[in-house]
Amino acid sequence: MDTTRRRSSAPGRRHTNAGEDAEALAALGHKQELKRNFSMISMLGMAFAILNSWTALSASLSLSLTSGGPSAVIWGLITAGIFNLCLAASLAEFLSAYPTAGGQYHWAAIISWKNWTRIISWITGWINVSGWIALTATGGLLPSQLVIGVISLYHPSYEPQNWQQFLLYILFILAAFAINVFLTRLLPYITQTAFMWSLGGFAIICITVLSTASPDYQSGHFVYGEFMNETGWPNGLAWLLGLLQGALGLTGFDACAHMIEEIPEPHLKGPKIMIYCILIGIGTGFVFLSVLLFVLTDVDLVNSSANGPILEILYQATGSRAGATCLLIFPLGCLCFATIGIMSTSSRMTYAFARDGGLPFSRVWAKVHPKLDTPVNALALTTGLVIIFGCIFLGSSSAFNAIIAASVVALGVSYGIPPAINVLRGRKMLPETRAFKLPNWLGWTCNVAGVLWTILTTVLFVFPPALPVTGNNMNYCIVAFAIILVISLVQWFVDGRKNYTGPKLDVNAMMNGEVEGLAPSNTNGSVPTNGTGIDHMNGKEKLAT
């Protein structure tokens, strides 16, 4: 017979040393293998380095300038920021209760309906792993575009070839791989440096371009109210399509969840980091985009220039190739740091899912190198797949861009799954004593708003960016995302449904009340029989017997 479990008080207490953090992780079913080398500031530095909102937003300005104009650039960021903040707050509640590197697929498994636990966890895991690997490709693409832009600035007749950008792409990816493998112990210092570099570069560029462009600024109406539509879509839909820029600039805030096993007091610090990086991204992005729009002089040239939008604006503001190139070093450095952080996070997500048996040859990808203290095999898998994606760029830049866009869609879907399940189950599936808890009304608001945003952006971001639709401007994101789903479903029927049991929760620890929010009082001590073995009913967790 099922008996109702009491709730653990574990989330409310503060872990005071590494031993207690390791015990808490063991209670969630996993041995502490990765070193907790990151402080809160270094983990915040990694999270913000991955978002690098002001850099990503400025490098992708052309997405919104042609699809809504400056009004979509500025207010699209605010819109995307508010809804992503709702998603971040929703996931922060999960992170405070269950701080494991698995993140979304682990949380979805714990709160899902008993008969659907394994398949929901499986699909969520595949979507999240694929999204992070595809996002790693972005880390190689964007800095290579900046370098090509500099060459075009000095040599206007230069026509870049795909193979040239491909070589730069490979260079950035392999450099990030080498740093992640051989400089693991220095990653906390690298991420702190990335944080300072990003904030310093943000301030220096803003001050420089405002001073050099003075007094020839665009009007406030242009910056905050000008609407443009060169897409062929109706005005309202064009503005909504411009939200892709803001969404791209705030994608990846779940990084701290997948790196959470490398920070002390994860259930306390993790939620703060997840929310802080979004707030910093919105603030710096709003100011930086406003500055760029005030100092640009020719918006049509910004949209069409081979130099890239950010370099073209810097050149228009300074009137100097050398000055613009020097300023470009800051966003270039930010993107290099971002590539390192994205690859770290992607490898941890791959490692975590493989640790639970979610990937082919999971035992290989779940190994942590005993001397390097990092999942080298998972890093190698991420790097290998990203290089293969780069080969696609040699044949079709449109197909490669579809992979990049699919990363935004895939990560967005993975963000929406846990809160969607939580809403459907009445927001009663998380332990009341978790360290980070939203007031009930705010929790409902954030959960529902985040889920609706996920649905809206998933539909919008697979639209072709302009009319008429041709083979060259078609949005192949839907194809790339469909391939991810098909592969995950095929692999489920081939292997998953037989061998995948979901996240491995420690039943003995659950019996002793050591798992945060998962303390059963089952009297017969039986082992759960399904997935996580947890059946949540009316907000009271029960063990299936």
Side-chain angles (χ1 to χ4, degrees), residues 186-250:
L186 297 181
L187 279 180
Y189 303 104
I190 293 174
T191 58
Q192 288 183 44
T193 302
F195 193 31
M196 297 301 107
W197 176 273
S198 182
L199 294 180
F202 161 79
I204 290 171
I205 293 177
C206 287
I207 294 171
T208 302
V209 296
L210 285 173
S211 61
T212 55
S214 178
D216 299 321
Y217 300 136
Q218 294 285 352
S219 68
H221 175 269
F222 172 84
V223 174
Y224 298 110
E226 185 74 14
F227 179 84
M228 302 175 183
N229 181 9
E230 300 177 13
T231 66
W233 291 107
N235 289 343
L237 181 56
W239 195 92
L240 289 174
L241 292 175
L243 291 173
L244 177 59
Q245 183 202 13
L248 175 64
L250 297 172

Side-chain angles (χ1 to χ4, degrees), residues 48-286:
F48 183 66
I50 289 173
L51 263 67
N52 247 308
S53 299
W54 66 270
T55 303
L57 289 165
S58 58
S60 57
L61 260 174
S62 55
L63 291 175
S64 291
L65 279 179
T66 58
S67 188
S71 68
V73 171
I74 297 296
W75 303 117
L77 169 63
I78 299 301
T79 303
I82 291 171
F83 284 103
N84 275 281
L85 196 58
C86 289
L87 279 174
S90 299
L91 295 184
E93 290 193 297
F94 285 90
L95 183 58
S96 69
Y98 312 114
T100 74
Q104 292 93 302
Y105 84 88
H106 197 132
W107 305 331
I110 291 176
I111 69 169
S112 290
W113 304 267
K114 179 174 65 176
N115 294 333
W116 294 91
T117 290
R118 294 194 305 138
I119 183 64
I120 290 176
S121 172
W122 175 274
I123 292 176
T124 304
W126 270 85
I127 290 174
N128 206 3
V129 168
S130 302
W132 272 103
I133 292 176
L135 192 64
T136 308
T138 307
L141 176 68
L142 292 180
S144 65
Q145 287 180 335
L146 294 188
V147 174
I148 293 294
V150 172
I151 299 174
S152 298
L153 179 66
Y154 280 90
H155 303 281
S157 61
Y158 168 69
E159 295 183 5
Q161 303 297 315
N162 284 352
W163 66 267
Q164 296 169 333
Q165 187 169 348
F166 172 73
L167 292 179
L168 290 169
Y169 169 89
I170 296 299
L171 174 64
F172 287 116
I173 293 298
L174 290 181
F177 172 76
I179 291 172
N180 271 283
V181 171
F182 299 110
L183 299 178
T184 303
R185 294 176 178 83
L186 297 181
L187 279 180
Y189 303 104
I190 293 174
T191 58
Q192 288 183 44
T193 302
F195 193 31
M196 297 301 107
W197 176 273
S198 182
L199 294 180
F202 161 79
I204 290 171
I205 293 177
C206 287
I207 294 171
T208 302
V209 296
L210 285 173
S211 61
T212 55
S214 178
D216 299 321
Y217 300 136
Q218 294 285 352
S219 68
H221 175 269
F222 172 84
V223 174
Y224 298 110
E226 185 74 14
F227 179 84
M228 302 175 183
N229 181 9
E230 300 177 13
T231 66
W233 291 107
N235 289 343
L237 181 56
W239 195 92
L240 289 174
L241 292 175
L243 291 173
L244 177 59
Q245 183 202 13
L248 175 64
L250 297 172
T251 293
F253 60 80
D254 60 320
C256 68
H258 306 306
M259 300 289 294
I260 201 66
E261 294 174 23
E262 298 173 62
I263 183 174
E265 300 181 327
H267 66 295
L268 295 172
K269 296 178 179 178
K272 295 178 182 178
I273 293 170
M274 187 174 283
I275 293 174
Y276 288 167
C277 68
I278 292 284
L279 290 174
I280 297 172
I282 296 172
T284 57
F286 180 84

